[in-house]
């Protein structure tokens, strides 16, 4: 019987436990996938800890993967058994050898994109796409600040923003991560361990600050991010690896006529034409070489707990995948 990683209660990485799981036959509008690679993301940690509540327990977490269609349910058009596909969407259930998933959220993979790469870039890459092109579009000449610049989303954001003509500033936690960010489009990596970053941002920008800041860290970076914004700048909070931002008064934004956004990828991909457009833009920029994707770190599906521990402990760079 196929294996999956089940959680019966929320908590630390130790709650991730292997178990037998047969998802059954696909229902209307569904496909059954044999998964070949599964993306590991911070949203999985939020689900595991209960920060983002799941519909119920026990549950299988995970929202990103790649594989092969094994069967299609009634009413499914455009997909057939044998198709290579990838996805990044609710509902959870990716941490499994086989799963059922909504056909409307499946994207066929071009030959140029391998399964490991697909499972590592669907969620992070489409996040970079909507941040740069839809939530807070950038233009050539902008100063852009990317937090966690050596992380999975950060490396993609830095390269893509640089490709669009921006000057990219990035925060990292170590010298090694600074070197990695520098090699991936970040013009000015800032090591923030033990200190802030606003003064250095102002120095780099001649006192003007950044027109756009992309922040997946949350609580620990918010105050300095606000200080680092240019007048009429946009702060996009798309994650909270350090914890949620404390409530703020709208008047705080008036000091710089700033705009604060808290977008969610799945709202942007809810309509299939938008999903296909965004995924297509991602595949194109990767296939062209403008955005280079390093092979992700690979963990066995049974080692999901170690993958979570390494990710939370900031012992990783780039992306992680689980391999059934």
């Amino acid at each position: 019987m196929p294996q999956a990683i089940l959680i019966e209660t929320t908590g630390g990485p130790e709650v991730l436990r292997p178990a037998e799981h047969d998802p059954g036959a696909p229902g209307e509008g569904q496909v059954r996938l044999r998964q070949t690679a599964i993306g590991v993301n911070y949203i999985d940690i939020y689900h595991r800890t209960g920060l983002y509540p799941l519909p119920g327990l026990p549950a299988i977490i995970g929202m990103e993967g790649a594989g092969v269609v094994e069967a299609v349910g009634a009413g499914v058009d455009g997909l057939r058994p044998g198709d290579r596909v990838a996805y990044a969407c609710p509902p959870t259930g990716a941490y499994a050898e086989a799963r059922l998933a909504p056909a409307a959220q499946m994207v066929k993979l071009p030959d140029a994109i391998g399964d490991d790469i697909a499972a590592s870039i669907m969620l992070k890459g489409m996040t970079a796409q909507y941040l740069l092109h839809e939530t807070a579009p950038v233009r050539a000449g902008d100063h852009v600040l990317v937090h966690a610049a050596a992380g999975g989303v950060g490396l993609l954001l830095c390269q893509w923003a640089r490709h669009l003509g921006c000057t990219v500033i990035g925060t990292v936690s170590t010298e090694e991560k600074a070197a990695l960010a520098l090699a991936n489009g970040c013009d000015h990596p800032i090591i923030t361990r033990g200190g802030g970053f606003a003064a250095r941002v102002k120095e780099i920008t001649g006192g003007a600050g950044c027109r756009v800041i992309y922040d997946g860290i949350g609580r620990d970076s918010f105050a300095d991010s606000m200080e680092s914004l240019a007048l009429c700048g946009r702060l996009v909070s798309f994650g909270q690896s350090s914890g949620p931002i404390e409530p703020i008064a709208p008047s705080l934004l008036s000091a710089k006529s700033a705009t604060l956004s808290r977008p969610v990828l799945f709202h942007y991909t809810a309509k299939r034409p938008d999903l296909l457009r965004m995924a297509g833009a991602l595949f194109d920029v990767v296939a062209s070489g403008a955005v280079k994707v390093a092979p992700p770190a690979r963990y066995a599906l049974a080692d999901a707990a170690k993958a979570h521990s390494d990710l939370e402990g900031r012992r990783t760079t780039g992306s992680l995948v689980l391999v059934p």
Side-chain angles (χ1 to χ4, degrees), residues 111-245:
D111 292 341
I113 306 294
D115 290 13
D116 277 16
I117 295 296
S120 73
I121 65 171
M122 282 296 288
L123 193 149
K124 300 176 185 70
M126 288 196 296
T127 294
Q129 191 279 337
Y130 86 77
L131 292 176
L132 289 166
H133 292 276
E134 321 226 6
T135 301
V138 297
R139 53 188 183 237
D142 282 347
H143 280 95
V144 173
L145 175 59
V146 176
H147 287 307
V153 176
L155 291 173
L156 297 173
L157 277 172
C158 288
Q159 292 183 75
W160 209 334
R162 179 77 176 277
H163 174 62
L164 294 171
C166 300
T167 297
V168 183
I169 305 169
T171 63
V172 295
S173 59
T174 67
E175 289 82 0
E176 293 78 11
K177 290 183 177 183
L180 179 62
L182 187 64
N184 283 273
C186 181
D187 299 285
H188 303 281
I190 301 171
I191 300 171
T192 59
R193 182 183 55 206
F197 52 85
R200 179 65 180 132
V201 169
K202 290 180 179 179
E203 180 183 350
I204 293 167
T205 61
C210 291
R211 196 180 76 82
V212 182
I213 297 177
Y214 299 113
D215 186 355
I217 295 177
R219 181 179 57 211
D220 290 354
S221 57
F222 181 75
D224 262 25
S225 288
M226 288 298 300
E227 190 175 345
S228 299
L229 271 180
L231 293 178
C232 304
R234 303 194 66 170
L235 172 56
V236 184
S237 173
F238 67 95
Q240 49 192 36
S241 61
S242 68
I245 296 168

Side-chain angles (χ1 to χ4, degrees), residues 23 32-33 37 58 65 86 95 106 111 133 152 161 214 239 267 296 314 324:
R32 176 176 167 132
L33 299 180
Y95 285 23
M106 298 298 107
D111 292 341
H133 292 276
Y214 299 113
H267 296 161
R314 297 191 176 187

Side-chain angles (χ1 to χ4, degrees), residues 43-61:
I43 193 170
D44 305 343
I45 293 172
Y46 300 156
H47 283 141
R48 190 204 75 219
T49 61
L51 180 62
Y52 289 1
L54 293 161
L57 294 172
I60 299 171
I61 62 171

